Amino acid sequence: MAKYILKRILTAIPMVLFITILCFTLMHFSPYDAIDAMTNPRMSQETIDLIKAKYGYDQPLYIQYFRWLDGLMNGNYGYSIVTKQSIAADLSVRIPNTFKLVLPAYITAYFLAVVLGLLAGSHKNRTADKLIDGFSSVGIAVPSFWFSMLLIFVFGYKLKLLPFVGMNSVGMEASVADFMRHYIMPFTTLVFTFLPANIKFVRSSTLTQFSEDYVLVQQAFGASKREIMFKHVCKNVLLPVVTRLGMALPLLVTGAIITETVFGWPGVGPYFIKAIQGLDYPIVMIILVLSSTLVILGNLLSDILYCLIDPRIREMG
């Protein structure tokens, strides 16, 4: 098992390095660059050259890359070319805010998806299955921003029950009750966003297991449906369901960009959107590398979970 995990880790390292090269190269070959965001047509060429020299943009591309990579590895992400603020300092505040919103929402959605998916899969073509599957289909079709605006219109504007901007009211940053009132609508939106696809996945896995030969054998020996469900089917559904958890890792940073932007939640989402609008390339590159790296780490985590759960993979290692 250790050999298998080590092999997967060693495979992930060059992939992360390739991601940094790809992000850096694409940003530098885009129609606009960081110099365009810091200069204007009225500036002289001498002034522009001084700005390039100040930020190191007069160096060859490979030297710029290695300097940038060295900063990444040392936790020095550079500075915003728009606000002049430290990117690392900004992210150290915004990433925890995103975690507070996304992590509980995904765990809640995942738990509900397992329960509802198993219920739907074990009652194929019955009322419960049709209702749950219908809800999942509608949920997948509904855009998260539209659902957000619907909640804002009903609970924020019409009923005036909940605030819909920011994470706290001004002057009430220490109030847990105020935080929870701001938290309810974005949390509900993310649960609604994450839930349908996970229900579909669990339901599909459950239906596949119920079609296997071992279920027919258990039925032939007189096992009840409840016994088959909890002693056999659940265990086999657990494998793809648990390994899917690794794929949720990127969501912890970029999984709520739209929802955070709509509700003005001070997380990574609005920060990323403003960086794109302002051509703030250092921020854009860092967030792209971070999210892409989390995709690779998520796959790595899924492989490790697969190895820990499935004895056959463990023996291969």
Side-chain angles (χ1 to χ4, degrees), residues 58-94:
D58 59 334
Q59 300 292 325
L61 192 61
Y62 70 92
I63 294 179
Q64 294 182 45
Y65 168 74
F66 283 117
R67 289 177 58 185
W68 178 69
L69 182 63
D70 180 67
L72 283 182
M73 296 177 66
N74 290 294
N76 178 18
Y77 301 154
Y79 295 85
S80 165
I81 58 178
V82 175
T83 65
K84 313 303 180 185
Q85 298 295 318
S86 168
I87 298 174
D90 287 342
L91 289 178
S92 68
V93 174
R94 291 180 175 274

PDB file of all heavy atoms in Angstrom, residues 58-94:
ATOM      1  N   ASP A  58      11.396  43.155 -17.242  1.00  0.00           N
ATOM      2  CA  ASP A  58      12.372  43.349 -18.307  1.00  0.00           C
ATOM      3  C   ASP A  58      13.307  42.146 -18.447  1.00  0.00           C
ATOM      4  O   ASP A  58      14.126  42.101 -19.362  1.00  0.00           O
ATOM      5  CB  ASP A  58      13.204  44.610 -18.032  1.00  0.00           C
ATOM      6  CG  ASP A  58      13.942  44.526 -16.690  1.00  0.00           C
ATOM      7  OD1 ASP A  58      13.459  43.794 -15.796  1.00  0.00           O
ATOM      8  OD2 ASP A  58      14.985  45.184 -16.557  1.00  0.00           O
ATOM      9  N   GLN A  59      13.181  41.172 -17.542  1.00  0.00           N
ATOM     10  CA  GLN A  59      14.010  39.973 -17.580  1.00  0.00           C
ATOM     11  C   GLN A  59      13.442  38.960 -18.581  1.00  0.00           C
ATOM     12  O   GLN A  59      12.257  39.015 -18.931  1.00  0.00           O
ATOM     13  CB  GLN A  59      14.076  39.339 -16.192  1.00  0.00           C
ATOM     14  CG  GLN A  59      14.658  40.247 -15.117  1.00  0.00           C
ATOM     15  CD  GLN A  59      16.125  40.517 -15.341  1.00  0.00           C
ATOM     16  OE1 GLN A  59      16.859  39.654 -15.812  1.00  0.00           O
ATOM     17  NE2 GLN A  59      16.560  41.742 -15.023  1.00  0.00           N
ATOM     18  N   PRO A  60      14.279  38.025 -19.057  1.00  0.00           N
ATOM     19  CA  PRO A  60      13.764  36.959 -19.927  1.00  0.00           C
ATOM     20  C   PRO A  60      12.651  36.168 -19.225  1.00  0.00           C
ATOM     21  O   PRO A  60      12.608  36.098 -17.992  1.00  0.00           O
ATOM     22  CB  PRO A  60      15.004  36.079 -20.174  1.00  0.00           C
ATOM     23  CG  PRO A  60      16.162  36.996 -19.964  1.00  0.00           C
ATOM     24  CD  PRO A  60      15.736  37.960 -18.896  1.00  0.00           C
ATOM     25  N   LEU A  61      11.796  35.559 -20.031  1.00  0.00           N
ATOM     26  CA  LEU A  61      10.611  34.896 -19.496  1.00  0.00           C
ATOM     27  C   LEU A  61      10.966  33.778 -18.523  1.00  0.00           C
ATOM     28  O   LEU A  61      10.324  33.630 -17.482  1.00  0.00           O
ATOM     29  CB  LEU A  61       9.765  34.335 -20.651  1.00  0.00           C
ATOM     30  CG  LEU A  61       8.360  33.853 -20.282  1.00  0.00           C
ATOM     31  CD1 LEU A  61       7.540  34.996 -19.712  1.00  0.00           C
ATOM     32  CD2 LEU A  61       7.655  33.274 -21.514  1.00  0.00           C
ATOM     33  N   TYR A  62      12.016  33.004 -18.836  1.00  0.00           N
ATOM     34  CA  TYR A  62      12.347  31.885 -17.960  1.00  0.00           C
ATOM     35  C   TYR A  62      12.862  32.372 -16.608  1.00  0.00           C
ATOM     36  O   TYR A  62      12.636  31.724 -15.566  1.00  0.00           O
ATOM     37  CB  TYR A  62      13.354  30.955 -18.640  1.00  0.00           C
ATOM     38  CG  TYR A  62      14.752  31.509 -18.799  1.00  0.00           C
ATOM     39  CD1 TYR A  62      15.724  31.287 -17.834  1.00  0.00           C
ATOM     40  CD2 TYR A  62      15.099  32.255 -19.922  1.00  0.00           C
ATOM     41  CE1 TYR A  62      17.004  31.793 -17.978  1.00  0.00           C
ATOM     42  CE2 TYR A  62      16.376  32.776 -20.078  1.00  0.00           C
ATOM     43  CZ  TYR A  62      17.323  32.536 -19.104  1.00  0.00           C
ATOM     44  OH  TYR A  62      18.589  33.037 -19.240  1.00  0.00           O
ATOM     45  N   ILE A  63      13.561  33.509 -16.583  1.00  0.00           N
ATOM     46  CA  ILE A  63      14.024  34.060 -15.310  1.00  0.00           C
ATOM     47  C   ILE A  63      12.839  34.560 -14.489  1.00  0.00           C
ATOM     48  O   ILE A  63      12.770  34.354 -13.271  1.00  0.00           O
ATOM     49  CB  ILE A  63      15.033  35.204 -15.558  1.00  0.00           C
ATOM     50  CG1 ILE A  63      16.310  34.652 -16.197  1.00  0.00           C
ATOM     51  CG2 ILE A  63      15.350  35.933 -14.252  1.00  0.00           C
ATOM     52  CD1 ILE A  63      17.358  35.703 -16.494  1.00  0.00           C
ATOM     53  N   GLN A  64      11.876  35.202 -15.165  1.00  0.00           N
ATOM     54  CA  GLN A  64      10.659  35.641 -14.473  1.00  0.00           C
ATOM     55  C   GLN A  64       9.936  34.450 -13.857  1.00  0.00           C
ATOM     56  O   GLN A  64       9.443  34.522 -12.726  1.00  0.00           O
ATOM     57  CB  GLN A  64       9.726  36.360 -15.444  1.00  0.00           C
ATOM     58  CG  GLN A  64      10.261  37.677 -15.990  1.00  0.00           C
ATOM     59  CD  GLN A  64       9.246  38.346 -16.907  1.00  0.00           C
ATOM     60  OE1 GLN A  64       8.057  38.417 -16.585  1.00  0.00           O
ATOM     61  NE2 GLN A  64       9.712  38.845 -18.048  1.00  0.00           N
ATOM     62  N   TYR A  65       9.890  33.338 -14.615  1.00  0.00           N
ATOM     63  CA  TYR A  65       9.194  32.144 -14.112  1.00  0.00           C
ATOM     64  C   TYR A  65       9.869  31.592 -12.863  1.00  0.00           C
ATOM     65  O   TYR A  65       9.204  31.292 -11.861  1.00  0.00           O
ATOM     66  CB  TYR A  65       9.137  31.070 -15.203  1.00  0.00           C
ATOM     67  CG  TYR A  65       8.701  29.724 -14.658  1.00  0.00           C
ATOM     68  CD1 TYR A  65       7.367  29.500 -14.306  1.00  0.00           C
ATOM     69  CD2 TYR A  65       9.620  28.696 -14.448  1.00  0.00           C
ATOM     70  CE1 TYR A  65       6.959  28.288 -13.773  1.00  0.00           C
ATOM     71  CE2 TYR A  65       9.221  27.479 -13.927  1.00  0.00           C
ATOM     72  CZ  TYR A  65       7.898  27.276 -13.591  1.00  0.00           C
ATOM     73  OH  TYR A  65       7.507  26.076 -13.060  1.00  0.00           O
ATOM     74  N   PHE A  66      11.188  31.456 -12.901  1.00  0.00           N
ATOM     75  CA  PHE A  66      11.893  30.876 -11.759  1.00  0.00           C
ATOM     76  C   PHE A  66      11.810  31.784 -10.533  1.00  0.00           C
ATOM     77  O   PHE A  66      11.714  31.298  -9.401  1.00  0.00           O
ATOM     78  CB  PHE A  66      13.351  30.586 -12.126  1.00  0.00           C
ATOM     79  CG  PHE A  66      13.522  29.354 -12.967  1.00  0.00           C
ATOM     80  CD1 PHE A  66      14.031  29.427 -14.256  1.00  0.00           C
ATOM     81  CD2 PHE A  66      13.152  28.108 -12.470  1.00  0.00           C
ATOM     82  CE1 PHE A  66      14.179  28.289 -15.031  1.00  0.00           C
ATOM     83  CE2 PHE A  66      13.301  26.965 -13.234  1.00  0.00           C
ATOM     84  CZ  PHE A  66      13.818  27.050 -14.526  1.00  0.00           C
ATOM     85  N   ARG A  67      11.821  33.083 -10.743  1.00  0.00           N
ATOM     86  CA  ARG A  67      11.646  34.004  -9.622  1.00  0.00           C
ATOM     87  C   ARG A  67      10.239  33.865  -9.036  1.00  0.00           C
ATOM     88  O   ARG A  67      10.056  33.878  -7.806  1.00  0.00           O
ATOM     89  CB  ARG A  67      11.881  35.445 -10.083  1.00  0.00           C
ATOM     90  CG  ARG A  67      13.337  35.770 -10.390  1.00  0.00           C
ATOM     91  CD  ARG A  67      13.499  37.186 -10.903  1.00  0.00           C
ATOM     92  NE  ARG A  67      12.996  38.163  -9.959  1.00  0.00           N
ATOM     93  CZ  ARG A  67      12.932  39.461 -10.223  1.00  0.00           C
ATOM     94  NH1 ARG A  67      13.318  39.925 -11.416  1.00  0.00           N
ATOM     95  NH2 ARG A  67      12.472  40.307  -9.322  1.00  0.00           N
ATOM     96  N   TRP A  68       9.279  33.757  -9.918  1.00  0.00           N
ATOM     97  CA  TRP A  68       7.884  33.590  -9.475  1.00  0.00           C
ATOM     98  C   TRP A  68       7.695  32.260  -8.760  1.00  0.00           C
ATOM     99  O   TRP A  68       7.053  32.188  -7.713  1.00  0.00           O
ATOM    100  CB  TRP A  68       6.972  33.693 -10.693  1.00  0.00           C
ATOM    101  CG  TRP A  68       5.515  33.489 -10.399  1.00  0.00           C
ATOM    102  CD1 TRP A  68       4.687  34.308  -9.703  1.00  0.00           C
ATOM    103  CD2 TRP A  68       4.707  32.380 -10.825  1.00  0.00           C
ATOM    104  NE1 TRP A  68       3.406  33.793  -9.668  1.00  0.00           N
ATOM    105  CE2 TRP A  68       3.397  32.611 -10.347  1.00  0.00           C
ATOM    106  CE3 TRP A  68       4.964  31.240 -11.571  1.00  0.00           C
ATOM    107  CZ2 TRP A  68       2.353  31.731 -10.589  1.00  0.00           C
ATOM    108  CZ3 TRP A  68       3.923  30.356 -11.810  1.00  0.00           C
ATOM    109  CH2 TRP A  68       2.633  30.599 -11.318  1.00  0.00           C
ATOM    110  N   LEU A  69       8.289  31.176  -9.304  1.00  0.00           N
ATOM    111  CA  LEU A  69       8.180  29.858  -8.681  1.00  0.00           C
ATOM    112  C   LEU A  69       8.866  29.841  -7.320  1.00  0.00           C
ATOM    113  O   LEU A  69       8.350  29.242  -6.363  1.00  0.00           O
ATOM    114  CB  LEU A  69       8.789  28.798  -9.602  1.00  0.00           C
ATOM    115  CG  LEU A  69       8.705  27.347  -9.121  1.00  0.00           C
ATOM    116  CD1 LEU A  69       7.249  26.911  -8.995  1.00  0.00           C
ATOM    117  CD2 LEU A  69       9.457  26.410 -10.065  1.00  0.00           C
ATOM    118  N   ASP A  70      10.006  30.489  -7.210  1.00  0.00           N
ATOM    119  CA  ASP A  70      10.702  30.574  -5.925  1.00  0.00           C
ATOM    120  C   ASP A  70       9.833  31.292  -4.891  1.00  0.00           C
ATOM    121  O   ASP A  70       9.769  30.881  -3.725  1.00  0.00           O
ATOM    122  CB  ASP A  70      12.028  31.316  -6.114  1.00  0.00           C
ATOM    123  CG  ASP A  70      12.802  31.442  -4.810  1.00  0.00           C
ATOM    124  OD1 ASP A  70      13.247  30.408  -4.279  1.00  0.00           O
ATOM    125  OD2 ASP A  70      12.961  32.580  -4.318  1.00  0.00           O
ATOM    126  N   GLY A  71       9.136  32.344  -5.346  1.00  0.00           N
ATOM    127  CA  GLY A  71       8.222  33.034  -4.436  1.00  0.00           C
ATOM    128  C   GLY A  71       7.076  32.142  -3.988  1.00  0.00           C
ATOM    129  O   GLY A  71       6.693  32.141  -2.812  1.00  0.00           O
ATOM    130  N   LEU A  72       6.537  31.352  -4.916  1.00  0.00           N
ATOM    131  CA  LEU A  72       5.460  30.428  -4.569  1.00  0.00           C
ATOM    132  C   LEU A  72       5.907  29.433  -3.510  1.00  0.00           C
ATOM    133  O   LEU A  72       5.188  29.154  -2.538  1.00  0.00           O
ATOM    134  CB  LEU A  72       5.000  29.653  -5.818  1.00  0.00           C
ATOM    135  CG  LEU A  72       4.100  30.358  -6.823  1.00  0.00           C
ATOM    136  CD1 LEU A  72       3.744  29.395  -7.947  1.00  0.00           C
ATOM    137  CD2 LEU A  72       2.829  30.853  -6.154  1.00  0.00           C
ATOM    138  N   MET A  73       7.081  28.870  -3.700  1.00  0.00           N
ATOM    139  CA  MET A  73       7.567  27.843  -2.791  1.00  0.00           C
ATOM    140  C   MET A  73       7.895  28.407  -1.418  1.00  0.00           C
ATOM    141  O   MET A  73       7.862  27.681  -0.422  1.00  0.00           O
ATOM    142  CB  MET A  73       8.803  27.165  -3.395  1.00  0.00           C
ATOM    143  CG  MET A  73       8.513  26.415  -4.684  1.00  0.00           C
ATOM    144  SD  MET A  73       9.981  25.700  -5.444  1.00  0.00           S
ATOM    145  CE  MET A  73      10.448  24.477  -4.223  1.00  0.00           C
ATOM    146  N   ASN A  74       8.182  29.692  -1.344  1.00  0.00           N
ATOM    147  CA  ASN A  74       8.518  30.329  -0.072  1.00  0.00           C
ATOM    148  C   ASN A  74       7.339  31.087   0.538  1.00  0.00           C
ATOM    149  O   ASN A  74       7.515  31.796   1.542  1.00  0.00           O
ATOM    150  CB  ASN A  74       9.695  31.296  -0.270  1.00  0.00           C
ATOM    151  CG  ASN A  74      11.001  30.570  -0.545  1.00  0.00           C
ATOM    152  OD1 ASN A  74      11.523  29.872   0.311  1.00  0.00           O
ATOM    153  ND2 ASN A  74      11.520  30.707  -1.750  1.00  0.00           N
ATOM    154  N   GLY A  75       6.169  30.934  -0.070  1.00  0.00           N
ATOM    155  CA  GLY A  75       4.989  31.618   0.460  1.00  0.00           C
ATOM    156  C   GLY A  75       4.925  33.092   0.141  1.00  0.00           C
ATOM    157  O   GLY A  75       4.091  33.818   0.691  1.00  0.00           O
ATOM    158  N   ASN A  76       5.802  33.547  -0.749  1.00  0.00           N
ATOM    159  CA  ASN A  76       5.783  34.955  -1.160  1.00  0.00           C
ATOM    160  C   ASN A  76       5.078  35.052  -2.506  1.00  0.00           C
ATOM    161  O   ASN A  76       5.668  34.827  -3.552  1.00  0.00           O
ATOM    162  CB  ASN A  76       7.219  35.487  -1.259  1.00  0.00           C
ATOM    163  CG  ASN A  76       7.249  36.933  -1.727  1.00  0.00           C
ATOM    164  OD1 ASN A  76       6.245  37.646  -1.669  1.00  0.00           O
ATOM    165  ND2 ASN A  76       8.404  37.367  -2.215  1.00  0.00           N
ATOM    166  N   TYR A  77       3.792  35.391  -2.472  1.00  0.00           N
ATOM    167  CA  TYR A  77       2.981  35.408  -3.690  1.00  0.00           C
ATOM    168  C   TYR A  77       3.044  36.743  -4.420  1.00  0.00           C
ATOM    169  O   TYR A  77       2.381  36.921  -5.436  1.00  0.00           O
ATOM    170  CB  TYR A  77       1.523  35.080  -3.354  1.00  0.00           C
ATOM    171  CG  TYR A  77       1.346  33.730  -2.700  1.00  0.00           C
ATOM    172  CD1 TYR A  77       0.265  33.490  -1.857  1.00  0.00           C
ATOM    173  CD2 TYR A  77       2.252  32.702  -2.914  1.00  0.00           C
ATOM    174  CE1 TYR A  77       0.094  32.252  -1.252  1.00  0.00           C
ATOM    175  CE2 TYR A  77       2.089  31.465  -2.310  1.00  0.00           C
ATOM    176  CZ  TYR A  77       1.001  31.247  -1.481  1.00  0.00           C
ATOM    177  OH  TYR A  77       0.848  30.037  -0.883  1.00  0.00           O
ATOM    178  N   GLY A  78       3.806  37.664  -3.890  1.00  0.00           N
ATOM    179  CA  GLY A  78       3.911  38.957  -4.539  1.00  0.00           C
ATOM    180  C   GLY A  78       2.834  39.926  -4.064  1.00  0.00           C
ATOM    181  O   GLY A  78       2.181  39.717  -3.039  1.00  0.00           O
ATOM    182  N   TYR A  79       2.646  40.977  -4.854  1.00  0.00           N
ATOM    183  CA  TYR A  79       1.717  42.042  -4.476  1.00  0.00           C
ATOM    184  C   TYR A  79       0.744  42.322  -5.618  1.00  0.00           C
ATOM    185  O   TYR A  79       1.067  42.147  -6.788  1.00  0.00           O
ATOM    186  CB  TYR A  79       2.479  43.317  -4.130  1.00  0.00           C
ATOM    187  CG  TYR A  79       3.343  43.180  -2.904  1.00  0.00           C
ATOM    188  CD1 TYR A  79       4.625  42.662  -3.002  1.00  0.00           C
ATOM    189  CD2 TYR A  79       2.868  43.538  -1.652  1.00  0.00           C
ATOM    190  CE1 TYR A  79       5.431  42.511  -1.872  1.00  0.00           C
ATOM    191  CE2 TYR A  79       3.651  43.397  -0.512  1.00  0.00           C
ATOM    192  CZ  TYR A  79       4.932  42.884  -0.633  1.00  0.00           C
ATOM    193  OH  TYR A  79       5.710  42.723   0.484  1.00  0.00           O
ATOM    194  N   SER A  80      -0.433  42.735  -5.239  1.00  0.00           N
ATOM    195  CA  SER A  80      -1.424  43.138  -6.235  1.00  0.00           C
ATOM    196  C   SER A  80      -0.922  44.373  -6.968  1.00  0.00           C
ATOM    197  O   SER A  80      -0.446  45.332  -6.336  1.00  0.00           O
ATOM    198  CB  SER A  80      -2.757  43.436  -5.554  1.00  0.00           C
ATOM    199  OG  SER A  80      -3.620  44.152  -6.410  1.00  0.00           O
ATOM    200  N   ILE A  81      -1.012  44.370  -8.283  1.00  0.00           N
ATOM    201  CA  ILE A  81      -0.569  45.529  -9.049  1.00  0.00           C
ATOM    202  C   ILE A  81      -1.630  46.632  -9.074  1.00  0.00           C
ATOM    203  O   ILE A  81      -1.367  47.728  -9.564  1.00  0.00           O
ATOM    204  CB  ILE A  81      -0.194  45.143 -10.493  1.00  0.00           C
ATOM    205  CG1 ILE A  81      -1.392  44.499 -11.197  1.00  0.00           C
ATOM    206  CG2 ILE A  81       0.990  44.206 -10.514  1.00  0.00           C
ATOM    207  CD1 ILE A  81      -1.114  44.126 -12.642  1.00  0.00           C
ATOM    208  N   VAL A  82      -2.794  46.352  -8.531  1.00  0.00           N
ATOM    209  CA  VAL A  82      -3.864  47.354  -8.457  1.00  0.00           C
ATOM    210  C   VAL A  82      -3.906  47.998  -7.075  1.00  0.00           C
ATOM    211  O   VAL A  82      -3.868  49.220  -6.933  1.00  0.00           O
ATOM    212  CB  VAL A  82      -5.228  46.741  -8.814  1.00  0.00           C
ATOM    213  CG1 VAL A  82      -6.349  47.769  -8.620  1.00  0.00           C
ATOM    214  CG2 VAL A  82      -5.234  46.226 -10.250  1.00  0.00           C
ATOM    215  N   THR A  83      -3.978  47.166  -6.024  1.00  0.00           N
ATOM    216  CA  THR A  83      -4.099  47.690  -4.661  1.00  0.00           C
ATOM    217  C   THR A  83      -2.757  47.798  -3.938  1.00  0.00           C
ATOM    218  O   THR A  83      -2.678  48.411  -2.877  1.00  0.00           O
ATOM    219  CB  THR A  83      -5.021  46.791  -3.827  1.00  0.00           C
ATOM    220  OG1 THR A  83      -4.411  45.487  -3.674  1.00  0.00           O
ATOM    221  CG2 THR A  83      -6.379  46.639  -4.503  1.00  0.00           C
ATOM    222  N   LYS A  84      -1.710  47.161  -4.493  1.00  0.00           N
ATOM    223  CA  LYS A  84      -0.365  47.141  -3.886  1.00  0.00           C
ATOM    224  C   LYS A  84      -0.327  46.359  -2.578  1.00  0.00           C
ATOM    225  O   LYS A  84       0.652  46.412  -1.840  1.00  0.00           O
ATOM    226  CB  LYS A  84       0.165  48.565  -3.627  1.00  0.00           C
ATOM    227  CG  LYS A  84       0.006  49.524  -4.793  1.00  0.00           C
ATOM    228  CD  LYS A  84       0.667  49.036  -6.053  1.00  0.00           C
ATOM    229  CE  LYS A  84       0.479  50.034  -7.192  1.00  0.00           C
ATOM    230  NZ  LYS A  84       1.010  49.522  -8.468  1.00  0.00           N
ATOM    231  N   GLN A  85      -1.391  45.612  -2.276  1.00  0.00           N
ATOM    232  CA  GLN A  85      -1.440  44.827  -1.049  1.00  0.00           C
ATOM    233  C   GLN A  85      -0.796  43.460  -1.271  1.00  0.00           C
ATOM    234  O   GLN A  85      -0.772  42.944  -2.383  1.00  0.00           O
ATOM    235  CB  GLN A  85      -2.894  44.648  -0.593  1.00  0.00           C
ATOM    236  CG  GLN A  85      -3.620  45.936  -0.265  1.00  0.00           C
ATOM    237  CD  GLN A  85      -3.028  46.642   0.930  1.00  0.00           C
ATOM    238  OE1 GLN A  85      -2.690  46.023   1.930  1.00  0.00           O
ATOM    239  NE2 GLN A  85      -2.873  47.958   0.828  1.00  0.00           N
ATOM    240  N   SER A  86      -0.311  42.865  -0.177  1.00  0.00           N
ATOM    241  CA  SER A  86       0.280  41.526  -0.247  1.00  0.00           C
ATOM    242  C   SER A  86      -0.790  40.500  -0.586  1.00  0.00           C
ATOM    243  O   SER A  86      -1.837  40.425   0.087  1.00  0.00           O
ATOM    244  CB  SER A  86       0.932  41.182   1.086  1.00  0.00           C
ATOM    245  OG  SER A  86       1.269  39.806   1.136  1.00  0.00           O
ATOM    246  N   ILE A  87      -0.551  39.688  -1.614  1.00  0.00           N
ATOM    247  CA  ILE A  87      -1.517  38.666  -2.013  1.00  0.00           C
ATOM    248  C   ILE A  87      -1.637  37.597  -0.934  1.00  0.00           C
ATOM    249  O   ILE A  87      -2.733  37.130  -0.629  1.00  0.00           O
ATOM    250  CB  ILE A  87      -1.113  38.034  -3.360  1.00  0.00           C
ATOM    251  CG1 ILE A  87      -1.106  39.099  -4.458  1.00  0.00           C
ATOM    252  CG2 ILE A  87      -2.063  36.889  -3.732  1.00  0.00           C
ATOM    253  CD1 ILE A  87      -0.583  38.590  -5.792  1.00  0.00           C
ATOM    254  N   ALA A  88      -0.510  37.230  -0.336  1.00  0.00           N
ATOM    255  CA  ALA A  88      -0.536  36.221   0.727  1.00  0.00           C
ATOM    256  C   ALA A  88      -1.377  36.693   1.911  1.00  0.00           C
ATOM    257  O   ALA A  88      -2.145  35.920   2.490  1.00  0.00           O
ATOM    258  CB  ALA A  88       0.889  35.903   1.183  1.00  0.00           C
ATOM    259  N   ALA A  89      -1.244  37.977   2.263  1.00  0.00           N
ATOM    260  CA  ALA A  89      -2.033  38.522   3.383  1.00  0.00           C
ATOM    261  C   ALA A  89      -3.520  38.540   3.044  1.00  0.00           C
ATOM    262  O   ALA A  89      -4.364  38.214   3.891  1.00  0.00           O
ATOM    263  CB  ALA A  89      -1.548  39.930   3.719  1.00  0.00           C
ATOM    264  N   ASP A  90      -3.842  38.921   1.804  1.00  0.00           N
ATOM    265  CA  ASP A  90      -5.250  38.934   1.386  1.00  0.00           C
ATOM    266  C   ASP A  90      -5.847  37.525   1.419  1.00  0.00           C
ATOM    267  O   ASP A  90      -6.955  37.312   1.920  1.00  0.00           O
ATOM    268  CB  ASP A  90      -5.380  39.513  -0.023  1.00  0.00           C
ATOM    269  CG  ASP A  90      -5.158  41.023  -0.050  1.00  0.00           C
ATOM    270  OD1 ASP A  90      -5.250  41.651   1.010  1.00  0.00           O
ATOM    271  OD2 ASP A  90      -4.893  41.555  -1.141  1.00  0.00           O
ATOM    272  N   LEU A  91      -5.115  36.553   0.873  1.00  0.00           N
ATOM    273  CA  LEU A  91      -5.620  35.178   0.822  1.00  0.00           C
ATOM    274  C   LEU A  91      -5.716  34.562   2.213  1.00  0.00           C
ATOM    275  O   LEU A  91      -6.593  33.734   2.465  1.00  0.00           O
ATOM    276  CB  LEU A  91      -4.729  34.316  -0.073  1.00  0.00           C
ATOM    277  CG  LEU A  91      -4.806  34.608  -1.569  1.00  0.00           C
ATOM    278  CD1 LEU A  91      -3.839  33.706  -2.340  1.00  0.00           C
ATOM    279  CD2 LEU A  91      -6.220  34.408  -2.106  1.00  0.00           C
ATOM    280  N   SER A  92      -4.826  34.963   3.117  1.00  0.00           N
ATOM    281  CA  SER A  92      -4.870  34.408   4.475  1.00  0.00           C
ATOM    282  C   SER A  92      -6.154  34.799   5.201  1.00  0.00           C
ATOM    283  O   SER A  92      -6.569  34.127   6.153  1.00  0.00           O
ATOM    284  CB  SER A  92      -3.654  34.881   5.279  1.00  0.00           C
ATOM    285  OG  SER A  92      -3.723  36.276   5.530  1.00  0.00           O
ATOM    286  N   VAL A  93      -6.786  35.874   4.753  1.00  0.00           N
ATOM    287  CA  VAL A  93      -8.067  36.292   5.329  1.00  0.00           C
ATOM    288  C   VAL A  93      -9.233  35.709   4.539  1.00  0.00           C
ATOM    289  O   VAL A  93     -10.219  35.226   5.115  1.00  0.00           O
ATOM    290  CB  VAL A  93      -8.174  37.831   5.347  1.00  0.00           C
ATOM    291  CG1 VAL A  93      -9.561  38.273   5.807  1.00  0.00           C
ATOM    292  CG2 VAL A  93      -7.098  38.419   6.248  1.00  0.00           C
ATOM    293  N   ARG A  94      -9.119  35.696   3.227  1.00  0.00           N
ATOM    294  CA  ARG A  94     -10.240  35.311   2.377  1.00  0.00           C
ATOM    295  C   ARG A  94     -10.437  33.793   2.290  1.00  0.00           C
ATOM    296  O   ARG A  94     -11.577  33.327   2.224  1.00  0.00           O
ATOM    297  CB  ARG A  94     -10.057  35.899   0.973  1.00  0.00           C
ATOM    298  CG  ARG A  94     -10.206  37.417   0.958  1.00  0.00           C
ATOM    299  CD  ARG A  94     -10.022  38.009  -0.409  1.00  0.00           C
ATOM    300  NE  ARG A  94     -10.297  39.444  -0.407  1.00  0.00           N
ATOM    301  CZ  ARG A  94     -11.500  39.978  -0.559  1.00  0.00           C
ATOM    302  NH1 ARG A  94     -12.542  39.193  -0.737  1.00  0.00           N
ATOM    303  NH2 ARG A  94     -11.666  41.291  -0.542  1.00  0.00           N
TER     304      ARG A  94
END
